[in-house]
Amino acid sequence: MRIAPAAAPPDAPVSRLNPLAKLGAALAVSLAVLASIDPVTPTVALVGVLVALPFGGLRYRRLLRRGWPVLVGAVLVGCANMLFAADQGGTSYLHLGPLQLSSVSLAGGGALGLRVLAIALPGVVAFATIDPTDLADCLVQQLRVPARFAIGALAAYRLLPLLADEWELLGLARRARGIDAGANPLARFRLFAATLFALLVGAVRRGGRLATAMDARGFDAGTPRTFARRHPFTGADRLVLALGVLLAAVALAVSIGTGTFVPLVG
């Protein structure tokens, strides 16, 4: 089974924190960046997150290995907004058919790319250092989420890597039977749809068996359940949550203080 490697070792300080504290801090920073469309707020938030990573035991290279799709997406969003923005005022640098690049669109696209990165990066850092089992336990113990939902979501997350393995297995099986689309795009689409349908049928069957097994173990009963591992909300967790809120407040305060703050609404 394919399992993504953890972004931090198990003995790292960030790995020992309560998952809800990390998610709360990430949510506070992301909401602060989302509330403003200026470039200063995401810049301050990004700098704060990147500076804090080594103190939590995170390595930039391992995080980049997990979060490179976010970086690519932010660059693509920024470039698209630079070239196709409606406002092309200021100094013009490029004009090639529908593609235009000016100082105004360059600043707007760069700010949008920074916002995308600053909104997504705290969540990537949080989820890359959270064990799914610990998250499910904390949801049930501290947020009082129904155990049926939390454990079901945990099981679904654990089974996700099987989809990639089954997709590869279905492809090998069809190749062994001599089923190949060749260069025909229509045949490729039909083969893709058939493989996708087979994968969906297998996932539905597995989900049905999992639901039956959970019902047999009493997850649908109203009887209070015990926990094998307790996850208290410690002082370190409160400190991380407070630091996340503080970083969000500092980012907004710097933006307002420099006069660049532009609210998302209004």
Side-chain angles (χ1 to χ4, degrees), residues 40-126:
V40 176
T41 304
T43 301
V44 175
L46 275 176
V47 171
V49 172
L50 293 176
V51 168
L53 291 183
F55 295 97
L58 282 171
R59 295 182 179 178
Y60 295 114
R61 183 178 299 178
R62 300 183 72 173
L63 182 63
L64 182 62
R65 202 176 302 156
R66 292 288 297 270
W68 67 265
V70 174
L71 180 61
V72 173
V75 171
L76 291 178
V77 169
C79 291
N81 193 73
M82 290 177 188
L83 296 175
F84 300 102
D87 187 2
Q88 293 288 346
T91 305
S92 180
Y93 301 118
L94 173 69
H95 186 80
L96 186 62
L99 303 179
Q100 299 183 43
L101 184 64
S102 66
S103 57
V104 173
S105 64
L106 190 64
L112 186 59
L114 276 175
R115 289 188 71 230
V116 171
L117 190 59
I119 290 172
L121 183 62
V124 171
V125 173

Side-chain angles (χ1 to χ4, degrees), residues 130-146:
I130 288 176
D131 182 79
T133 304
D134 293 341
L135 178 59
D137 289 341
C138 291
L139 288 175
V140 177
Q141 294 175 25
Q142 289 154 1
L143 293 188
R144 306 303 179 188
V145 174

Side-chain angles (χ1 to χ4, degrees), residues 166 201-217:
E166 286 193 0
V201 170
V204 171
R205 288 176 177 174
R206 188 181 298 109
R209 291 195 298 267
L210 179 61
T212 302
M214 290 181 65
D215 286 343
R217 285 165 174 78

